[in-house]
Amino acid sequence: MDLLEYQGKQLFGKHGLAVSDGKAVTTVEDAVAAANEIGYPVVVKAQVLIGGRGKAGGVKLAANEEEAREHATNILGLDIKGHITRTIWIEHASDIDTEYYASVLLDRSAKKPLVMFSIEGGIEIETVAEETPEKLIKYHVDPLVGLTKEEAIKIATDGKAAADVIDGVADALVALYEVWIEEDASLAEINPLIITPDRQVKALDAKVTLDGNAAFRHPDHADLGDKANADPIEVKAAEQGVVYVKLDGNIGILGNGAGLVMSTLDVVAQHGGEPANFLDAGGGSDAAKVKQAVELILSNDSVTAVLFNIFGGITRCDEVANGLIAAFGDLKPTVPFVVRLDGTNDVLGREILEKAALPNVHAAKTMDEAAEQVVALAKGN
Amino acid sequence: MSILINSDTRLAVAGITGREGSFHTLNNRAYGTNVVGGINPKKAGENVEGIPVFANWADCVAETQANTAMIFVPPPFAAASALEAAAAGVAVVIIITEGIPAHDELKLYNQVKRDYPGTTIIGPNCPGILSPGEANVGIIPASFFKPGNVGVVSRSGTLTYQIGNELAQKGFGNSSIVGIGGDPVPGSSFIDIIELFENDPQTELIVMSGEIGGSAEEEAAEYVKNHVTKPVVAYIAGFTAPEGKQMGHAGAIVSGSAGTAKAKAEALEAAGIRVGRTPTQTAEIAMEILGAPVA
C-alpha cells in the first residue's frame, strides 16, 4: 500500500525524523485556518499517489492568507494524471541550502535491505543512477543486525555529505531504517532530504510503501493510503478477500491462481482482446466465492464478455460450476460467458454446466480456444 | 532420481490439525509420501489418522527422524515454525502458507543461510514439490503427472499445473515439479532449483515458468548461459500487466522499467533460452527439443 506524502511524514515523525509542522485538510477554509496557524510562508501540496505534482501545479508557495486561499482553491479538486486531489497538506516553508536523497528498500536480488544515499537530491534518483552512478551510495544491511550508527556515518561519509552534517545525515538514515523495519515498509524514501541554512537535516518529502501482508500487526495502518481515489470495485473485492485489478478493456476475466490469471490476460491479448480486469478467485474457491466474483466482474459496465479459466488444484471444478449457476440465477447476466474447466473434478464440473444449459455460456476445451472464443464474442461475433 | 523429495522423504507437517493442513497431509500420504508426524503445541500426544502430533519440531525430529517439513500454519507464525524446523535439523522446509510479511521472509532467509546452511527452504506461498511416482509434498494435484524426464520450476501454482498438463498431454512426464512461490523473498530461487536439475540424471530438459516482478528470471538467464548444459525452455506471465499494480502475488509487480515480462523474455532469449508465448507453445518447444516421447 502506497502512502500519501503527509501520512509518510507522520510515520517519519513518529520515528524521530525531522519534518516540518503541517496539517492535512480537505476544504479551502480549513486550509486557510491551518496556514494562519502554522505561520507564513507556507507550502500548499496536493496529496496524490503520482509523481509530477509540481509540474501539474499541485505544489505552491503562499506568502499570505490571500495566496493560501487562492492556491488551496486551485489545488483542491485538481486532476493530476487521473488522480483527483481531495486532500492538501499545508506546511511551513523550509529554507533550503542543499538537497540530498535517502531511501531504504528491499533488494530482492541480494535478499537484503538496501540503503541508498546521494548528495544529488531533488531530482529523479534513476537519473542519478544512470548519469552519475558514483554519486549514489548503495549499502546492504544485515537484517539480523540492523543499521548501526557507525554504518550510517560511513554511508554519509562515502557519499561525500558536507562534513558538518554527517552526524545529522547518519541519524536520519538510522531513523529511516527504523521506519522501514518497524512499520513493515517495502520502501521508505526521502527526496529531497534537505539541509537548512542553520544545518538541520529534514525530510521535505516522503514516499512510503507498506507491506499489506503485515497489516495484522499494524492496526494503526488501516486508515492509511489514498482511499478516496481507490477504484470502488477494487475496494469491494479487497473486503471480500479477492484480488481484483481493474484494467482498461472489455473482457472480464476470472481465474484461480495469480500466475494463471496473468497468463490468461496475456493469451486473451495475443488473440486481439482487451482484458477488463485481473481477478484471482484464489485457491479453494467455493460456489459462494465464485458468485461474488461474477458480481464484481459484472459491476464494471465496460464488460461485454466474460472468460472463466480454471485449472483446479485445491479448487474443485464442480464448485466453480455450481457457483456460476448460482450467479446466473441471481444476477441474470446479459453478456456471453466462455468457461474452461480443467483439473480437480473437471469432468463433473463440465457435466453440471451442460445439464444447467445456462443461456449464452460456452464451454471451451483449452485455454487458447477459450481466449479465441471470448475475443470473438466480445466483439459481438 | 528426482530432486529434493523422493521415496526417502520423511515428512512432518506444522499445522497438520487445521482444515487445509490435514486435508493435504492425508492427500500426500495417500499418494505414497511417508508422513511421519505433525506439530501443534496444543495437541501434542494426539494423532491425525494415525500420524502422531508433537509439541514442537525438536521433539518431532528426535522421535520420527523427519527430514522434510511442510509449513501450513497461518502467516503470523509461519516463518517462526520454518526456522524452528531448520534448527531441529530438517533438510528441506517447504512453506505453503500465503501472506507472510516480506520482512519475516527476509529475516528467515538470512538467518537460515547464516545458522543452518544445510537446510533448503522452498516457498513461501508455493504449491510445494511433486516427484511423480515417489512423493508429493504440498497441494499439487498429482493425478495429472507421471514420472519422466522434464523438470519444472515455477513461481506460480496453477500456472505450473497448466504447463505440466500441456506437457502431459504431449506424453511427457516429470522428474520433479517445484513451486518456488510468488513472494518477494523466496527461500530458493530459479537458480538453486535449476542447479539441482542440471545435476539430476533423470532430468533431460528444464522448464522454468516466471512472471513479472523482481529480477530472478534475468539472473537465471545469466546462470543458465554459464553453467547449464541441459536445454531450458521458459515461459513468462504478465505481458499485459500495468505498472504499479500488484497482480495477485506479493512479488508480482512492475515498478518503473524493472521487472517487466518483456525485459525478462529478452534476457532469457539473449542467453539462448527459448521462451514460449503461451503455455501451449512452451510445451510445443519442449517437444521440438526432446522429440516426441516414446510411449
Side-chain angles (χ1 to χ4, degrees), chain B residues 33-84:
Chain B
T33 312
N34 184 11
V35 183
V36 297
I39 320 287
N40 182 333
K42 289 182 191 138
K43 296 192 175 167
E46 298 180 14
N47 72 81
V48 173
E49 309 248 336
I51 303 165
V53 178
F54 298 88
N56 55 56
W57 275 104
D59 288 357
C60 178
V61 172
E63 204 65 39
T64 67
Q65 289 81 53
N67 57 14
T68 304
M70 173 158 72
I71 310 292
F72 246 113
V73 297
F77 319 108
S81 181
L83 184 64
E84 196 193 314

Side-chain angles (χ1 to χ4, degrees), chain A residues 109 185 211 217 263 266 340 368, chain B residues 102-104 162 219 235 238 280:
Chain A
S109 173
D211 176 8
R217 56 187 175 215
S263 175
D266 291 350
R340 179 262 180 156
D368 278 313
Chain B
H103 286 197
D104 291 7
Q162 174 70 37
E219 287 150 25
Y235 175 74
T280 311

Side-chain angles (χ1 to χ4, degrees), chain B residues 58-154:
Chain B
D59 288 357
C60 178
V61 172
E63 204 65 39
T64 67
Q65 289 81 53
N67 57 14
T68 304
M70 173 158 72
I71 310 292
F72 246 113
V73 297
F77 319 108
S81 181
L83 184 64
E84 196 193 314
V90 175
V92 179
V93 179
I94 298 162
I95 310 172
I96 309 295
T97 307
E98 176 178 0
I100 299 174
H103 286 197
D104 291 7
E105 297 175 0
L106 179 67
K107 286 172 191 158
L108 174 69
Y109 177 88
N110 282 280
Q111 191 158 1
V112 168
K113 198 118 210 146
R114 185 188 71 185
D115 298 340
Y116 314 107
T119 295
T120 298
I121 304 267
I122 301 287
N125 189 10
C126 81
I129 307 174
L130 169 65
S131 295
E134 295 190 61
N136 186 16
V137 177
I139 64 177
I140 296 175
S143 59
F144 293 95
F145 308 102
K146 59 176 190 178
N149 57 357
V150 178
V152 177
V153 54
S154 172

Side-chain angles (χ1 to χ4, degrees), chain B residues 215-272:
Chain B
S215 57
E217 290 80 2
E218 288 88 331
E219 287 150 25
E222 192 60 27
Y223 178 84
V224 167
K225 193 166 99 183
N226 296 322
H227 302 283
V228 177
T229 59
K230 295 177 182 176
V232 179
V233 180
Y235 175 74
I236 305 288
F239 277 86
T240 45
E243 186 188 321
K245 289 276 190 180
Q246 188 176 313
M247 302 303 267
H249 282 158
I253 184 164
V254 173
S255 37
S257 58
T260 65
K262 187 163 173 281
K264 289 174 188 295
E266 283 170 3
L268 289 160
E269 281 170 347

Side-chain angles (χ1 to χ4, degrees), chain A residues 106 108-109 111-113 142-144 180-181 184-186 211 213-214 216-217 234 243 245-247 256-260 262-263 265-267 269-270 278 311-314 340 342-344 346 367-368, chain B residues 76 99-104 106-107 109-111 114 139 141 144 155-156 158-159 161-162 165 184 186 211-215 219 235 237-240 242 245-249 251-252 277-280:
Chain A
L106 171 62
R108 287 169 60 167
S109 173
K111 298 182 169 72
K112 291 255 162 65
D142 181 345
L144 304 176
W180 192 81
I181 283 286
D184 272 294
S186 45
D211 176 8
N213 282 350
F216 66 83
R217 56 187 175 215
E234 289 183 9
V243 185
V245 177
K246 187 152 184 286
L247 302 169
N256 62 320
L260 184 62
M262 270 188 269
S263 175
L265 301 181
D266 291 350
V267 174
Q270 282 163 4
F278 169 103
F311 201 104
I314 301 187
R340 179 262 180 156
D342 245 324
T344 308
D346 51 0
M367 188 162 150
D368 278 313
Chain B
I100 299 174
H103 286 197
D104 291 7
L106 179 67
K107 286 172 191 158
Y109 177 88
N110 282 280
Q111 191 158 1
R114 185 188 71 185
I139 64 177
F144 293 95
R155 273 168 74 181
S156 153
T158 45
L159 192 50
Y161 317 155
Q162 174 70 37
N165 192 44
E211 62 193 31
I212 56 164
S215 57
E219 287 150 25
Y235 175 74
F239 277 86
T240 45
K245 289 276 190 180
Q246 188 176 313
M247 302 303 267
H249 282 158
R277 287 294 176 246
T278 63
T280 311

